[in-house]
Amino acid sequence: MVEPFLQPVDAKARRLAKTLLRTARWGALACLEPETEIPLASRVSVAPAMDGAPVMLISQLSSHFAALEADPRCSLLLGEPGRGDPLAHPRITIIATARRLGDDLGRSQLRHRFLSRHPKAALYIDFADFALWRLEPQRAALNGGFGKAFALTATDLTTDLTACGELQAQEASAVDHMNDDHRDALAAYATGLLKQPPGDWRLASLDPEGLDLVLGDRLARLWFEPPLANSAELRPRLVDLARQARAAQGGNHSTS
Amino acid sequence: MVEPFLQPVDAKARRLAKTLLRTARWGALACLEPETEIPLASRVSVAPAMDGAPVMLISQLSSHFAALEADPRCSLLLGEPGRGDPLAHPRITIIATARRLGDDLGRSQLRHRFLSRHPKAALYIDFADFALWRLEPQRAALNGGFGKAFALTATDLTTDLTACGELQAQEASAVDHMNDDHRDALAAYATGLLKQPPGDWRLASLDPEGLDLVLGDRLARLWFEPPLANSAELRPRLVDLARQARAAQGGNHSTS
């Protein structure tokens, strides 16, 4: 790509890219129609893997399923416009290689992450003609609005899980535990720390860099500062954030 | 595409496809990155030409501008998800050939249509590095939600302008006239016939099959039943629709 106006990639650009990746519920997939090599754009439902790579749930009946089986090179556009000029809103194109996920441990963890964002997909996620596909990011084009274009590498987009190896195996039970027994802390994260509207917020997913909260169709990302150095830090961090969140809520109460 | 579950294309499917085409303000373009032939998905602003073909305003600085100059084969995904499962909402992929529009009569009409939907683009539409591109539809894949897939031809998507040749030259002044002198009729179309919320509705565009109303970011399509047989029918049709709309508004008042 010849883009002489590219900005240098900084922490803010990486944070924006990762936020788009981790809060998207859908995107536009571009892949190659096998017979014609014409690029096809299709709507897909997405959820991030723990490292941030997008995971899609797609049907064998869709033309993009056959297309990715024939040629896994693709890209995914994330970031939805809000009000006003559609080009003033941030979006990212992730150039990736798609890989269909088999029935292994990884699938069960990703299934949990996917359903936490798309509860209605429980109706069909286990049908034989549906499969989860992981998009392995190669690079990305981030556009933060007019004049704010960045070329990102795969490492700008994803989260290194090496130091937090156990987190992948622990995530589903940790998420269920928070949703079963600490709903008040989740609501405090959302309203106290993220200034989201009140509601029955649930935990959707956890990773070394933060957690994702969900309320109906709304997703909100809470970043850990600093990221977890190892998975043993998760529990004390969640407790500490709950304390901060309740203090912030208290502050809110006095002004509301 | 091997899609054994395709439904037969009927008037309802054509109407849905045309509604998606004529009410979209943005879409996801898939084109081929020249150096790699990887399919790229990018956000684009769109407005329909009078026949319904999508028109995009794109910058020479964007990677899709260079991509379309190298290979005009592309597709455009239109139709945004609302609440709930993203795959339950209708969307269409239009397979098309892109053509950059020069500084001719066609451009001035399309510029008017584009700005009626994207008033903020007035800031940059005339910059030397921006151009309008027309996407000539070849065929389309319409997905009206689970189990409702259709393969459409170009003639299913677009409107034959042959019998209404003068309408293209007359459109901009007819639209301006309605916006200057008949704002009350436009509001009546929106609230009385289309059950839209009240507001300062403007006319965005006209074609033989209907008209498009705009209120901020909201677009609403009013279909002519039957379509205009010639451009002389436009004025009496608008008057007749205003009469119907006011009668419907009266009916609304008694129940509100």
Side-chain angles (χ1 to χ4, degrees):
Chain A
M1 284 181 270
V2 185
E3 306 204 52
F5 62 105
L6 285 172
Q7 309 276 311
V9 175
D10 56 12
K12 203 173 150 197
R14 281 186 202 98
R15 178 61 59 94
L16 174 59
K18 288 180 175 183
T19 302
L20 290 168
L21 267 168
R22 290 192 181 272
T23 58
R25 291 181 63 249
W26 64 77
L29 175 76
C31 57
L32 288 176
E33 190 176 45
E35 303 84 357
T36 63
E37 308 250 299
I38 290 173
L40 287 184
S42 312
R43 167 83 58 242
V44 288
S45 296
V46 296
M50 186 178 278
D51 68 355
V55 172
M56 317 180 290
L57 176 63
I58 56 181
S59 159
Q60 257 172 346
L61 296 176
S62 71
S63 46
H64 39 288
F65 196 109
L68 293 178
E69 288 210 318
D71 188 338
R73 297 175 307 159
C74 61
S75 67
L76 181 70
L77 172 68
L78 301 176
E80 291 302 309
R83 294 186 61 79
D85 194 320
L87 300 185
H89 295 270
R91 66 272 184 193
I92 190 168
T93 300
I94 301 145
I95 289 93
T97 307
R99 187 163 53 87
R100 183 177 173 175
L101 297 171
D103 206 15
D104 53 7
L105 181 68
R107 184 181 183 279
S108 128
Q109 188 220 358
L110 292 169
R111 182 182 181 282
H112 193 275
R113 292 180 72 96
F114 195 91
L115 290 179
S116 71
R117 286 167 165 75
H118 300 283
K120 290 188 179 155
L123 294 170
Y124 51 88
I125 194 169
D126 296 320
F127 286 2
D129 60 325
F130 275 83
L132 291 170
W133 288 69
R134 177 181 159 97
L135 296 184
E136 203 62 60
Q138 309 294 315
R139 56 189 161 91
L142 171 68
N143 195 316
F146 292 104
K148 285 183 274 181
F150 305 87
L152 282 77
T153 64
T155 51
D156 291 325
L157 297 172
T158 52
T159 303
D160 186 352
L161 302 180
T162 320
C164 295
E166 298 109 83
L167 208 55
Q168 299 221 49
Q170 293 164 355
E171 185 195 18
S173 61
V175 166
D176 290 345
H177 170 67
M178 291 297 289
N179 285 327
D180 290 342
D181 298 338
H182 299 289
R183 207 73 69 76
D184 55 334
L186 300 176
Y189 296 159
T191 58
L193 299 179
L194 299 174
K195 310 303 171 204
Q196 294 287 323
D200 187 20
W201 286 89
R202 310 293 176 107
L203 184 59
S205 42
L206 286 164
D207 60 81
E209 293 191 299
L211 56 82
D212 309 301
L213 297 168
V214 63
L215 176 68
D217 293 334
R218 186 188 283 261
L219 278 162
R221 171 82 179 166
L222 178 62
W223 293 94
F224 297 153
E225 303 282 5
L228 304 181
N230 57 65
S231 40
E233 286 189 7
L234 175 64
R235 176 182 280 266
R237 186 70 65 93
L238 293 176
V239 171
D240 187 51
L241 284 168
R243 191 190 45 74
Q244 290 177 39
R246 289 197 184 96
Q249 276 185 314
N252 288 348
H253 284 310
S254 65
T255 59
S256 66
Chain B
M1 285 181 269
V2 186
E3 307 203 52
F5 62 106
L6 285 173
Q7 308 276 312
V9 175
D10 55 13
K12 203 174 151 196
R14 281 185 203 99
R15 177 62 58 94
L16 174 59
K18 289 181 174 183
T19 301
L20 290 168
L21 267 168
R22 291 191 179 273
T23 58
R25 292 182 62 248
W26 64 76
L29 176 75
C31 57
L32 289 176
E33 190 176 44
E35 303 85 355
T36 63
E37 308 249 299
I38 289 172
L40 287 184
S42 312
R43 167 82 58 241
V44 289
S45 295
V46 295
M50 186 177 279
D51 67 354
V55 172
M56 317 180 290
L57 177 64
I58 57 181
S59 159
Q60 257 172 345
L61 296 176
S62 70
S63 47
H64 40 287
F65 196 109
L68 293 178
E69 289 210 316
D71 188 337
R73 297 175 307 156
C74 60
S75 66
L76 181 70
L77 171 67
L78 301 176
E80 292 302 309
R83 294 186 62 80
D85 193 321
L87 302 185
H89 295 270
R91 66 272 186 194
I92 188 168
T93 299
I94 302 146
I95 289 92
T97 307
R99 186 164 53 89
R100 184 179 174 175
L101 297 172
D103 206 16
D104 52 8
L105 182 68
R107 183 181 184 279
S108 126
Q109 188 220 358
L110 292 170
R111 182 182 181 282
H112 194 276
R113 292 180 73 95
F114 195 91
L115 291 178
S116 71
R117 286 166 165 74
H118 300 282
K120 289 186 179 154
L123 295 169
Y124 52 87
I125 194 168
D126 296 320
F127 287 0
D129 60 326
F130 275 83
L132 291 170
W133 288 69
R134 178 181 159 96
L135 297 184
E136 204 61 60
Q138 308 295 315
R139 57 190 159 93
L142 171 67
N143 194 318
F146 292 104
K148 285 183 272 179
F150 304 86
L152 281 77
T153 63
T155 50
D156 291 324
L157 297 171
T158 52
T159 303
D160 185 350
L161 303 180
T162 319
C164 296
E166 298 109 82
L167 207 55
Q168 300 222 49
Q170 292 164 354
E171 184 195 18
S173 62
V175 166
D176 291 345
H177 169 67
M178 290 299 287
N179 285 326
D180 290 342
D181 299 338
H182 300 289
R183 208 73 69 76
D184 55 331
L186 300 177
Y189 296 160
T191 58
L193 299 179
L194 300 174
K195 310 303 172 204
Q196 293 287 322
D200 187 20
W201 286 89
R202 310 292 176 108
L203 184 59
S205 42
L206 284 164
D207 59 82
E209 291 191 299
L211 57 84
D212 308 302
L213 297 167
V214 65
L215 176 68
D217 293 334
R218 187 188 283 261
L219 279 162
R221 171 83 179 164
L222 179 62
W223 293 94
F224 297 152
E225 304 281 8
L228 304 181
N230 56 65
S231 39
E233 286 189 7
L234 175 64
R235 177 183 279 265
R237 187 69 65 93
L238 293 175
V239 172
D240 187 51
L241 285 167
R243 190 189 48 72
Q244 289 178 37
R246 289 196 185 97
Q249 276 184 315
N252 289 347
H253 285 306
S254 65
T255 59
S256 66

